[in-house]
Amino acid sequence: MTDVQGTDLDIQTQDGVVDAYLVHPADGRPRPGVLFYMDAYGLRPHLRSMADRLAAAGYTVLVPNVFYRLGRTPVVELPEFIDPGADPTIWERLGPVVGSLTPDLAARDAGAYLRRLADSPLVADGPVALTGYCMGARLALWTAAAHPDRVAAAAGFHGGQLATDDPGSPHLGAPNITAELYFGHASNDHSLPPEQIERFEKALTEAGVRHTCEVYPGARHGYTQADTPAYDKEADERHWAALLGLLERTF
């Protein structure tokens, strides 16, 4: 396993300062860049460990706190093991935070994140890849649509609300996407019912987007998150194989 080096940094945007985590192979050589979009639970030890694993595979990975407008990490105090079933107030506190990040704000912030990667001597020249989890899957789609010249590949895992009736629904950006996409849906996910999966894939197909969409049988929303009850080791390892395969094809 390649040794990695991680550091905390700040990124200036039009609306403030984002606290973020950057990790890369310890040799310091420029590597392909990956913008890693967090889930609603935020930038925490588990996400850092996921970014470390990705960096060890040969990438420079940036994980921004996308809720920076409401404060630095942790925006909402959460326990080490996050179980909304045991504490329903978790989502009462997180709901308004998630809702505050509109598609327009997300796309604008993405420009700052992508510039930070482009300016880093640790990132190889050229487009980057995206990966996103839960709400981060929506952010990956909005970013791929808003910045097609900067995004070569995008992945999303156990994403919710990908193809709704909302005018800002992520699937509506499909005609602008030039990246190759991979999406691993959870079969047990109330935030992405079968009709949304069908609508999402139809939008990608009609737009001519190169894509693979798979449903992970038995997996729950959040299956990659080992600090939650939704974690599914088999589905998580399948996610890693799919993500690394996409990145290998891209870079």
Side-chain angles (χ1 to χ4, degrees), residues 217-220 222-226 228-237:
R220 298 165 60 189
Y223 61 75
T224 63
Q225 303 303 302
T228 77
Y231 182 66
D232 182 320
K233 182 172 177 56
E234 182 178 350
D236 184 30
E237 290 306 317

Side-chain angles (χ1 to χ4, degrees), residues 15 32 35 37 63 78 81 84 94 101 105 107 141 166 174 176 194 215 226:
D15 300 325
L35 175 55
Y37 278 126
V63 192
L78 296 172
F81 188 78
L94 280 175
L101 188 58
L105 291 178
L141 284 167
D166 189 273
N176 298 324
V215 177

Side-chain angles (χ1 to χ4, degrees), residues 41 79 81-93 220 227-230:
Y41 296 145
F81 188 78
I82 306 166
D83 184 0
D87 181 4
T89 69
I90 288 176
W91 270 101
E92 292 174 12
R93 289 177 282 148
R220 298 165 60 189
D227 56 355
T228 77

